[in-house]
Amino acid sequence: MTPYFLWSIIKFLFAGGFTINRMLDSVLYPDTSFWFLWVLFWIWLIFTLGQNVSKLICVDELIVLLVMSILLMGGMALYELRYFGFQFIAYYFIFYILGYMLNRFDLLASLNDKLVLLFFLIWLCLAWGWNMHSLPSWIPSFPYVPSSLVQYSYRGITATFAIIVLLYYCPQILIRTCGFHRLIAWSGKVSLGIYVVHLILLGFVTGFLQSLDFSMGSMIYIVISALLVYLLSIVFVYVLMKNKYAARYLLGKI
C-alpha cells in the first residue's frame, strides 16, 4: 500500500494540483491513479486472510478462496459496488486464484498441443467482437441476471483461455532464445516498477516529442514514444533498485 500512496503523491507533485481532496479521491476511486498497486495489495491481503481462515476451520484453502471469490463477484454484480476499486479487486482476484491453482496442481503439465490448440480456437471465437466495456452483439441478455455479471464472466473466461495458451507456448519459444528469455525474466521481476514509472514519464516524453515539431506519421510517433518511455522506465527502475529504501518503499521489494 505504501508504494501506491507514494507514487500517487509523486504523480500529483509532477502534474501539479496536489490537494487532500485529490488524495481522498485516489482512495475512493483508485482507477484514477495507480489502481493496479492498490488492487494487488488488497488481493494479497484477502488471499492471505483466506489461507489463515482455512487453517482455522481445517478446510482446504482452495475451497475457502473460491467461496471468497464468489462472494466478491456476487457483491460487485448485485450491488454495483464501484468504490475503493472493489470491482477490480473482485475481478482480478479470480486470476490470482487461477495462478495459484496452476502452480499448486501443475495443470499445465496435463495439457497437450491438441488441447491447447482447441483452447486457442475457443479463444478466437470468444474474442470475436471483443469490447472492453460492453458485450459482443452475439451474446444475448439473460433475464434476472445482472448485465455486469455477464460482462465480467465473459471477459474472465475469454482472458483465461488466452492466459492458458500463452503460458503453455511461451516457455517453449523463449527457451530457444536464451538471451531474450533472460530479458523477459528480468522485465517480469520489475514489471510493476516499469508500469508505474511509465505512467509518470509518458506525459513528459510525448510533450517533448511534440515540442520538437518534427513531421512524422502518427504510427512512427507512437512507436518512438513507446520505445523512449519503455527504455527510460527501465533506467529509472534500475536506479531505484540500487537503493534499498527506494526499492522497498517505491517498488515493494523486501
Side-chain angles (χ1 to χ4, degrees), residues 11-186:
K11 177 185 175 182
F12 290 140
L13 289 176
F14 274 99
F18 173 74
T19 63
I20 298 299
N21 287 335
R22 292 190 69 178
M23 284 302 299
L24 291 176
D25 284 342
S26 69
V27 173
L28 284 174
Y29 311 103
D31 49 309
T32 61
S33 189
F34 303 100
W35 66 273
F36 192 77
L37 296 176
W38 173 276
V39 169
L40 189 59
F41 169 78
W42 288 108
I43 286 177
W44 168 81
L45 193 64
I46 294 170
F47 187 86
T48 304
L49 175 63
Q51 289 181 312
N52 291 332
V53 169
S54 69
K55 293 176 183 178
L56 186 64
I57 63 177
C58 299
V59 175
D60 190 301
E61 62 185 25
L62 180 58
I63 296 175
V64 176
L65 293 171
L66 289 174
V67 170
M68 295 177 76
S69 180
I70 293 171
L71 291 174
L72 287 170
M73 287 296 295
M76 180 198 66
L78 293 176
Y79 300 105
E80 296 289 338
L81 297 175
R82 294 295 185 270
Y83 295 109
F84 306 107
F86 185 85
Q87 72 275 31
F88 300 114
I89 296 170
Y91 179 65
Y92 288 104
F93 187 68
I94 297 173
F95 296 102
Y96 202 87
I97 294 177
L98 176 63
Y100 162 80
M101 292 173 60
L102 288 172
N103 183 63
R104 174 179 171 181
F105 301 110
D106 198 16
L107 297 178
L108 293 176
S110 62
L111 300 176
N112 55 61
D113 290 342
K114 292 182 179 179
L115 185 58
V116 176
L117 178 60
L118 176 62
F119 286 168
F120 176 71
L121 294 175
I122 293 173
W123 172 79
L124 281 179
C125 294
L126 289 172
W128 186 265
W130 169 271
N131 188 300
M132 186 65 180
H133 302 290
S134 62
L135 288 169
S137 58
W138 53 267
I139 295 183
S141 59
F142 298 92
Y144 310 111
V145 179
S147 60
S148 59
L149 181 59
V150 178
Q151 181 177 339
Y152 276 104
S153 298
Y154 160 72
R155 286 163 54 180
I157 293 171
T158 304
T160 298
F161 279 111
I163 290 170
I164 293 174
V165 172
L166 288 173
L167 289 178
Y168 182 80
Y169 281 120
C170 283
Q172 301 177 31
I173 298 171
L174 293 175
I175 285 174
R176 304 191 195 109
T177 55
C178 295
F180 188 62
H181 186 192
R182 288 194 293 270
L183 176 62
I184 293 295
W186 184 84

Side-chain angles (χ1 to χ4, degrees), residues 207-224:
F208 172 74
L209 290 177
Q210 289 174 354
S211 68
L212 296 178
D213 199 23
F214 287 151
S215 57
M216 62 179 77
S218 59
M219 186 55 66
I220 297 176
Y221 174 79
I222 292 172
V223 171
I224 293 176

Side-chain angles (χ1 to χ4, degrees), residues 7 10-11 14 34 195-205:
W7 281 114
I10 292 172
K11 177 185 175 182
F14 274 99
F34 303 100
Y195 156 75
V196 172
V197 173
H198 102 275
L199 290 176
I200 294 177
L201 293 178
L202 187 58
F204 291 100
V205 171

